[in-house]
Amino acid sequence: MIVSVHQPHFLPWLGYLERMQQADLFIILDHVQFERQNYQNRTRILLDGQAHWLTVPLVHNSQQERIIDKQIDNPDKVEIRHWAEKNYQKMYQAYRKAPFFNAHAPHLKKIMESRWARLVDLNQALLVYLRDQLGITTPLINSSELMVDGRQSELILNLCQAVDADTLLIGMGGSRRYLDYKAFAKAGIEIIGQNFEHPQYAQCGGKDFVQGLSAIDLLFNHGPESREILRSEASLEIAL
């Protein structure tokens, strides 16, 4: 069984979803420390030909807070415009002329405006929508449900063993550097790496293609064709 592990992201990019699609089980790593300036509470969209951030404001109590404990900063005062409204207005400005904006934007707006208390719950709801639209059926499980401890490589190995994985599919980021490959080999777990080449497609609002944006960029521009566009770049790199 091929397993992949990653922290929850806010409206993730295509590489995140492609790796999920390639796995037999995807573990959402939600019980580790929250990382500021990461993608757990922000994503990028294409506005006026350039990448711009959409951000979910958070309550910061401690640098040691876990992702699962992070609270969204929902203002109580009516006169303070809600963060979801601000994000939707920026989304509207960026994609109102995209062919499939009206097919998806109302659903995303409804999810974001539901006044979630925890960031993980918001991210999960948005992920469910994106998975459904892209035809991804890989089962999901939260790491907090597995009652596994450890740090970095040890934690990932323990998670793999908890679900009886024989293969770990890793992304293109930092995990390639910190994983203890010998420990995985000793445990009988093969490590394979994602070899994702970002698909290029017609984007509204820009001349040169901008990659690494939220998956909503693809959905707004190509609607039902998005599934095949994502699958067109699916591949696995075996040797690491």
Side-chain angles (χ1 to χ4, degrees):
M1 178 175 64
I2 300 175
V3 168
S4 194
V5 184
H6 207 288
Q7 298 164 352
H9 280 185
F10 173 63
L11 290 171
W13 77 299
L14 293 178
Y16 185 105
L17 292 160
E18 193 269 349
R19 178 148 61 103
M20 182 182 295
Q21 179 178 268
Q22 293 296 319
D24 298 313
L25 176 67
F26 193 88
I27 300 176
I28 298 176
L29 190 61
D30 65 347
H31 77 298
V32 297
Q33 184 176 334
F34 174 82
E35 296 179 20
R36 298 193 185 191
Q37 303 301 313
N38 204 309
Y39 288 87
Q40 293 157 22
N41 70 314
R42 63 180 188 165
T43 193
R44 301 193 309 158
I45 62 171
L46 187 63
L47 177 60
D48 297 329
Q50 296 183 343
H52 285 257
W53 291 106
L54 293 183
T55 303
V56 181
L58 301 175
V59 177
H60 296 294
N61 293 316
S62 167
Q63 292 186 345
Q64 282 71 48
E65 280 183 289
R66 301 179 304 167
I67 297 172
I68 194 173
D69 299 321
K70 290 303 292 185
Q71 299 289 309
I72 297 175
D73 188 4
N74 290 308
D76 294 325
K77 295 182 179 179
V78 177
E79 63 269 21
I80 299 178
R81 196 156 58 127
H82 192 256
W83 63 266
E85 181 185 349
K86 293 180 181 178
N87 278 347
Y88 178 77
Q89 289 303 320
K90 187 177 290 187
M91 195 184 298
Y92 176 81
Q93 183 181 355
Y95 294 109
R96 65 188 184 279
K97 295 182 180 179
F100 297 95
F101 177 77
N102 290 331
H104 296 286
H107 302 283
L108 296 169
K109 183 174 186 286
K110 183 178 180 180
I111 293 172
M112 289 191 299
E113 289 183 344
S114 295
R115 291 189 72 89
W116 305 90
R118 299 192 308 169
L119 177 65
V120 289
D121 297 326
L122 167 66
N123 286 349
Q124 182 83 0
L126 291 169
L127 179 60
V128 167
Y129 182 80
L130 292 178
R131 279 164 48 86
D132 181 60
Q133 298 306 310
L134 293 170
I136 299 173
T137 58
T138 304
L140 303 177
I141 188 170
N142 294 326
S143 64
S144 55
E145 301 174 40
L146 296 174
M147 306 301 290
V148 167
D149 56 14
R151 298 186 70 250
Q152 293 194 331
S153 183
E154 180 189 14
L155 172 59
I156 303 302
L157 177 56
N158 290 342
L159 288 170
C160 288
Q161 291 177 319
V163 296
D164 296 323
D166 55 37
T167 305
L168 172 66
L169 170 61
I170 64 175
M172 298 171 284
S175 61
R176 297 197 180 198
R177 295 188 297 272
Y178 73 69
L179 286 178
D180 185 343
Y181 289 78
K182 291 183 179 179
F184 277 83
K186 185 177 180 180
I189 299 175
E190 180 184 12
I191 298 177
I192 59 177
Q194 182 186 26
N195 186 25
F196 177 65
E197 293 187 14
H198 202 295
Q200 294 204 13
Y201 50 85
Q203 290 175 317
C204 72
K207 294 182 179 180
D208 297 326
F209 183 79
V210 178
Q211 65 180 28
L213 304 174
S214 167
I216 63 173
D217 182 81
L218 175 61
L219 282 177
F220 287 157
N221 283 293
H222 292 276
E225 295 180 1
S226 300
R227 296 186 180 193
E228 292 306 315
I229 292 173
L230 179 60
R231 286 185 174 87
S232 68
E233 299 300 334
S235 61
L236 296 180
E237 177 188 355
I238 302 300
L240 284 177

